[in-house]
Amino acid sequence: MASSYISNALQINFDSVLGIQDNYGMVNMFRALEATGLRGFLGCSSVLYEQELEQFFDTTLIEDGDITCAVSGKYVAISASRFAGIFNLSTDGLIDLSEVPNDLVLQARTLFSKSGTPVQFSCKKRLLKYEFCLLNDILAKAISVKAGSFDVVTHERFLMMTAIHFGVKINWSTILFEVLKEMVDRPQKEPRVLGLKFVFFLRATLRLLWERQQSFLP
């Protein structure tokens, strides 16, 4: 089961894409994506282990707002603050995307459009400039937990794209942690790529716990 997710793993090499010389629009999009605080999450190495991924979803429980799971035979409690620390995620900003300023959303309808004609909040991504088509795909694969067509820009992703482009602060720590908890609460549905990224977080957490334990040894 997990092998079908691994083929869709997403990792962005920000140093490479920010060095592109002949596409200002693309570079500007990645700079905005980096500035919003997602570099640690999207740029992390997705070293994936099917057994650990399946074990995570088989053993995970939500207790007092934290996520408890077993990885490599060890139980780990994952808090929102630990989640934010591992990926260096922002902890300030909007949690409710409907609060993205409406004037910016209206500007984005024209700015994102390939033809210059304002697009709808939910539209076919082929109507967008290439860099915003790519941004939609990145958000769909790495952040969204809801299934759907990659050919369509959802209202939620349009608001995310608007906030990212205009530099509106987003509390990615809370948003992504809630997405993960939603995945845990819906075990009958296949987890999306966030589960793949989360394997990195789990292994990093175990390493930190091991290092902390070693610091108490004589």
Side-chain angles (χ1 to χ4, degrees):
M1 179 181 70
S3 59
S4 63
Y5 314 143
I6 291 174
S7 62
N8 291 320
L10 175 67
Q11 179 185 357
I12 297 175
N13 187 324
F14 278 90
D15 290 334
S16 294
V17 295
L18 292 176
I20 296 174
Q21 299 293 324
D22 56 354
N23 194 323
Y24 174 78
M26 187 68 67
V27 172
N28 192 46
M29 183 274 286
F30 278 110
R31 282 177 178 164
L33 192 58
E34 179 184 39
T36 197
L38 285 174
R39 177 166 182 155
F41 182 74
L42 296 175
C44 76
S45 175
S46 297
V47 180
L48 307 174
Y49 298 85
E50 292 187 39
Q51 184 176 359
E52 290 181 349
L53 181 59
E54 293 178 353
Q55 185 183 41
F56 166 69
F57 285 103
D58 287 342
T59 62
T60 304
L61 296 173
I62 297 177
E63 298 179 328
D64 298 325
D66 293 345
I67 297 174
T68 302
C69 61
V71 180
S72 299
K74 298 181 180 180
Y75 278 89
V76 182
I78 304 163
S79 65
S81 60
R82 177 174 286 173
F83 181 81
I86 291 294
F87 289 117
N88 197 27
L89 294 168
S90 59
T91 56
D92 297 322
L94 298 182
I95 296 174
D96 184 353
L97 292 171
S98 67
E99 296 178 2
V100 174
N102 190 54
D103 62 319
L104 298 183
V105 178
L106 293 177
Q107 289 183 54
R109 291 180 58 193
T110 301
L111 184 64
F112 294 173
S113 172
K114 183 190 300 184
S115 67
T117 301
V119 295
Q120 297 299 316
F121 302 131
S122 298
C123 63
K124 295 288 187 180
K125 74 175 185 181
R126 59 181 171 79
L127 299 177
L128 305 183
K129 295 175 183 175
Y130 180 75
E131 58 265 30
F132 297 112
C133 288
L134 181 58
L135 179 57
N136 172 73
D137 288 350
I138 291 171
L139 296 177
K141 291 181 179 181
I143 294 177
S144 178
V145 70
K146 297 178 181 178
S149 172
F150 287 154
D151 294 330
V152 176
V153 181
T154 65
H155 188 199
E156 178 187 50
R157 287 202 296 273
F158 194 93
L159 293 176
M160 283 187 186
M161 291 164 61
T162 300
I164 290 169
H165 179 78
F166 287 104
V168 178
K169 285 188 175 182
I170 300 179
N171 188 331
W172 290 115
S173 172
T174 297
I175 289 177
L176 292 177
F177 196 65
E178 289 302 314
V179 169
L180 181 64
K181 289 198 292 186
E182 182 181 352
M183 291 166 56
V184 171
D185 282 340
R186 299 164 62 193
Q188 75 281 8
K189 297 182 182 293
E190 293 183 349
R192 294 178 68 81
V193 176
L194 183 59
L196 303 181
K197 291 290 182 183
F198 205 72
V199 173
F200 170 82
F201 168 69
L202 294 174
R203 296 184 66 80
T205 300
L206 289 176
R207 185 177 67 249
L208 290 176
L209 292 175
W210 181 84
E211 290 174 352
R212 182 175 300 175
Q213 181 181 12
Q214 294 301 305
S215 67
F216 289 102
L217 295 178

